PDB file of all heavy atoms in Angstrom:
ATOM      1  N   ASN A  86      -4.007  47.632  -2.955  1.00 92.00           N
ATOM      2  CA  ASN A  86      -4.269  48.680  -3.945  1.00 92.00           C
ATOM      3  C   ASN A  86      -3.122  48.751  -4.945  1.00 92.00           C
ATOM      4  O   ASN A  86      -1.958  48.767  -4.554  1.00 92.00           O
ATOM      5  CB  ASN A  86      -4.405  50.048  -3.245  1.00 92.00           C
ATOM      6  CG  ASN A  86      -5.632  50.124  -2.383  1.00 92.00           C
ATOM      7  OD1 ASN A  86      -6.740  49.943  -2.864  1.00 92.00           O
ATOM      8  ND2 ASN A  86      -5.436  50.371  -1.097  1.00 92.00           N
ATOM      9  N   GLY A  87      -3.472  48.788  -6.212  1.00 89.00           N
ATOM     10  CA  GLY A  87      -2.478  49.027  -7.254  1.00 89.00           C
ATOM     11  C   GLY A  87      -1.673  47.803  -7.683  1.00 89.00           C
ATOM     12  O   GLY A  87      -0.655  47.957  -8.356  1.00 89.00           O
ATOM     13  N   PHE A  88      -2.107  46.620  -7.322  1.00 91.00           N
ATOM     14  CA  PHE A  88      -1.378  45.412  -7.734  1.00 91.00           C
ATOM     15  C   PHE A  88      -1.998  44.841  -8.997  1.00 91.00           C
ATOM     16  O   PHE A  88      -3.219  44.872  -9.176  1.00 91.00           O
ATOM     17  CB  PHE A  88      -1.421  44.349  -6.624  1.00 91.00           C
ATOM     18  CG  PHE A  88      -0.572  44.693  -5.440  1.00 91.00           C
ATOM     19  CD1 PHE A  88      -1.133  45.271  -4.315  1.00 91.00           C
ATOM     20  CD2 PHE A  88       0.789  44.439  -5.445  1.00 91.00           C
ATOM     21  CE1 PHE A  88      -0.357  45.587  -3.208  1.00 91.00           C
ATOM     22  CE2 PHE A  88       1.580  44.745  -4.347  1.00 91.00           C
ATOM     23  CZ  PHE A  88       1.008  45.333  -3.236  1.00 91.00           C
ATOM     24  N   LYS A  89      -1.164  44.286  -9.854  1.00 91.00           N
ATOM     25  CA  LYS A  89      -1.644  43.562 -11.023  1.00 91.00           C
ATOM     26  C   LYS A  89      -2.198  42.219 -10.546  1.00 91.00           C
ATOM     27  O   LYS A  89      -1.807  41.708  -9.497  1.00 91.00           O
ATOM     28  CB  LYS A  89      -0.512  43.337 -12.016  1.00 91.00           C
ATOM     29  CG  LYS A  89       0.024  44.620 -12.593  1.00 91.00           C
ATOM     30  CD  LYS A  89       1.185  44.349 -13.519  1.00 91.00           C
ATOM     31  CE  LYS A  89       1.756  45.679 -14.006  1.00 91.00           C
ATOM     32  NZ  LYS A  89       3.023  45.508 -14.693  1.00 91.00           N
ATOM     33  N   GLU A  90      -3.085  41.655 -11.330  1.00 91.00           N
ATOM     34  CA  GLU A  90      -3.751  40.398 -10.960  1.00 91.00           C
ATOM     35  C   GLU A  90      -2.756  39.297 -10.581  1.00 91.00           C
ATOM     36  O   GLU A  90      -2.940  38.595  -9.584  1.00 91.00           O
ATOM     37  CB  GLU A  90      -4.647  39.931 -12.116  1.00 91.00           C
ATOM     38  CG  GLU A  90      -5.479  38.709 -11.794  1.00 91.00           C
ATOM     39  CD  GLU A  90      -6.545  38.954 -10.730  1.00 91.00           C
ATOM     40  OE1 GLU A  90      -7.086  40.074 -10.664  1.00 91.00           O
ATOM     41  OE2 GLU A  90      -6.832  38.030  -9.962  1.00 91.00           O
ATOM     42  N   GLU A  91      -1.672  39.167 -11.341  1.00 92.00           N
ATOM     43  CA  GLU A  91      -0.694  38.103 -11.079  1.00 92.00           C
ATOM     44  C   GLU A  91       0.158  38.367  -9.832  1.00 92.00           C
ATOM     45  O   GLU A  91       0.847  37.475  -9.348  1.00 92.00           O
ATOM     46  CB  GLU A  91       0.215  37.863 -12.296  1.00 92.00           C
ATOM     47  CG  GLU A  91       1.100  39.016 -12.679  1.00 92.00           C
ATOM     48  CD  GLU A  91       0.471  40.043 -13.616  1.00 92.00           C
ATOM     49  OE1 GLU A  91      -0.745  39.952 -13.898  1.00 92.00           O
ATOM     50  OE2 GLU A  91       1.205  40.944 -14.066  1.00 92.00           O
ATOM     51  N   GLN A  92       0.101  39.568  -9.294  1.00 93.00           N
ATOM     52  CA  GLN A  92       0.860  39.897  -8.086  1.00 93.00           C
ATOM     53  C   GLN A  92       0.079  39.636  -6.801  1.00 93.00           C
ATOM     54  O   GLN A  92       0.672  39.517  -5.731  1.00 93.00           O
ATOM     55  CB  GLN A  92       1.265  41.385  -8.109  1.00 93.00           C
ATOM     56  CG  GLN A  92       2.213  41.760  -9.212  1.00 93.00           C
ATOM     57  CD  GLN A  92       2.416  43.267  -9.282  1.00 93.00           C
ATOM     58  OE1 GLN A  92       1.458  44.039  -9.194  1.00 93.00           O
ATOM     59  NE2 GLN A  92       3.669  43.669  -9.408  1.00 93.00           N
ATOM     60  N   ILE A  93      -1.229  39.544  -6.905  1.00 94.00           N
ATOM     61  CA  ILE A  93      -2.067  39.472  -5.711  1.00 94.00           C
ATOM     62  C   ILE A  93      -1.798  38.211  -4.891  1.00 94.00           C
ATOM     63  O   ILE A  93      -1.583  38.285  -3.685  1.00 94.00           O
ATOM     64  CB  ILE A  93      -3.561  39.601  -6.081  1.00 94.00           C
ATOM     65  CG1 ILE A  93      -3.823  41.027  -6.570  1.00 94.00           C
ATOM     66  CG2 ILE A  93      -4.460  39.245  -4.904  1.00 94.00           C
ATOM     67  CD1 ILE A  93      -5.204  41.268  -7.101  1.00 94.00           C
ATOM     68  N   GLN A  94      -1.791  37.047  -5.526  1.00 95.00           N
ATOM     69  CA  GLN A  94      -1.588  35.800  -4.779  1.00 95.00           C
ATOM     70  C   GLN A  94      -0.236  35.780  -4.061  1.00 95.00           C
ATOM     71  O   GLN A  94      -0.199  35.456  -2.872  1.00 95.00           O
ATOM     72  CB  GLN A  94      -1.745  34.585  -5.712  1.00 95.00           C
ATOM     73  CG  GLN A  94      -1.799  33.261  -4.992  1.00 95.00           C
ATOM     74  CD  GLN A  94      -3.070  33.058  -4.177  1.00 95.00           C
ATOM     75  OE1 GLN A  94      -4.019  33.828  -4.249  1.00 95.00           O
ATOM     76  NE2 GLN A  94      -3.083  32.022  -3.383  1.00 95.00           N
ATOM     77  N   PRO A  95       0.876  36.129  -4.715  1.00 95.00           N
ATOM     78  CA  PRO A  95       2.144  36.161  -3.975  1.00 95.00           C
ATOM     79  C   PRO A  95       2.137  37.159  -2.813  1.00 95.00           C
ATOM     80  O   PRO A  95       2.684  36.858  -1.746  1.00 95.00           O
ATOM     81  CB  PRO A  95       3.178  36.551  -5.035  1.00 95.00           C
ATOM     82  CG  PRO A  95       2.570  36.175  -6.332  1.00 95.00           C
ATOM     83  CD  PRO A  95       1.089  36.325  -6.155  1.00 95.00           C
ATOM     84  N   VAL A  96       1.517  38.313  -2.999  1.00 95.00           N
ATOM     85  CA  VAL A  96       1.463  39.303  -1.910  1.00 95.00           C
ATOM     86  C   VAL A  96       0.678  38.730  -0.734  1.00 95.00           C
ATOM     87  O   VAL A  96       1.105  38.823   0.420  1.00 95.00           O
ATOM     88  CB  VAL A  96       0.851  40.639  -2.384  1.00 95.00           C
ATOM     89  CG1 VAL A  96       0.536  41.549  -1.208  1.00 95.00           C
ATOM     90  CG2 VAL A  96       1.790  41.334  -3.348  1.00 95.00           C
ATOM     91  N   LEU A  97      -0.460  38.112  -1.015  1.00 97.00           N
ATOM     92  CA  LEU A  97      -1.275  37.546   0.059  1.00 97.00           C
ATOM     93  C   LEU A  97      -0.552  36.422   0.788  1.00 97.00           C
ATOM     94  O   LEU A  97      -0.596  36.339   2.014  1.00 97.00           O
ATOM     95  CB  LEU A  97      -2.597  37.014  -0.504  1.00 97.00           C
ATOM     96  CG  LEU A  97      -3.572  38.046  -1.042  1.00 97.00           C
ATOM     97  CD1 LEU A  97      -4.757  37.347  -1.713  1.00 97.00           C
ATOM     98  CD2 LEU A  97      -4.048  38.972   0.056  1.00 97.00           C
ATOM     99  N   MET A  98       0.119  35.558   0.037  1.00 97.00           N
ATOM    100  CA  MET A  98       0.713  34.355   0.622  1.00 97.00           C
ATOM    101  C   MET A  98       2.118  34.578   1.199  1.00 97.00           C
ATOM    102  O   MET A  98       2.630  33.711   1.902  1.00 97.00           O
ATOM    103  CB  MET A  98       0.751  33.237  -0.429  1.00 97.00           C
ATOM    104  CG  MET A  98      -0.614  32.883  -0.980  1.00 97.00           C
ATOM    105  SD  MET A  98      -1.812  32.379   0.269  1.00 97.00           S
ATOM    106  CE  MET A  98      -1.288  30.711   0.542  1.00 97.00           C
ATOM    107  N   ILE A  99       2.724  35.713   0.887  1.00 97.00           N
ATOM    108  CA  ILE A  99       4.067  36.003   1.426  1.00 97.00           C
ATOM    109  C   ILE A  99       4.003  37.159   2.420  1.00 97.00           C
ATOM    110  O   ILE A  99       4.414  37.030   3.573  1.00 97.00           O
ATOM    111  CB  ILE A  99       5.063  36.321   0.288  1.00 97.00           C
ATOM    112  CG1 ILE A  99       5.247  35.105  -0.618  1.00 97.00           C
ATOM    113  CG2 ILE A  99       6.408  36.784   0.855  1.00 97.00           C
ATOM    114  CD1 ILE A  99       5.990  35.384  -1.916  1.00 97.00           C
ATOM    115  N   GLU A 100       3.496  38.298   1.981  1.00 96.00           N
ATOM    116  CA  GLU A 100       3.471  39.480   2.852  1.00 96.00           C
ATOM    117  C   GLU A 100       2.441  39.360   3.967  1.00 96.00           C
ATOM    118  O   GLU A 100       2.682  39.806   5.094  1.00 96.00           O
ATOM    119  CB  GLU A 100       3.241  40.758   2.040  1.00 96.00           C
ATOM    120  CG  GLU A 100       4.385  41.100   1.115  1.00 96.00           C
ATOM    121  CD  GLU A 100       5.710  41.226   1.852  1.00 96.00           C
ATOM    122  OE1 GLU A 100       5.760  41.867   2.910  1.00 96.00           O
ATOM    123  OE2 GLU A 100       6.707  40.676   1.350  1.00 96.00           O
ATOM    124  N   GLY A 101       1.288  38.763   3.668  1.00 96.00           N
ATOM    125  CA  GLY A 101       0.254  38.590   4.693  1.00 96.00           C
ATOM    126  C   GLY A 101       0.769  37.822   5.904  1.00 96.00           C
ATOM    127  O   GLY A 101       0.743  38.331   7.024  1.00 96.00           O
TER     128      GLY A 101
END
Side-chain angles (χ1 to χ4, degrees):
N86 293 302
F88 288 98
K89 295 177 184 169
E90 185 67 33
E91 64 273 7
Q92 295 172 316
I93 291 174
Q94 190 69 9
V96 168
L97 293 173
M98 302 303 281
I99 296 169
E100 293 304 314

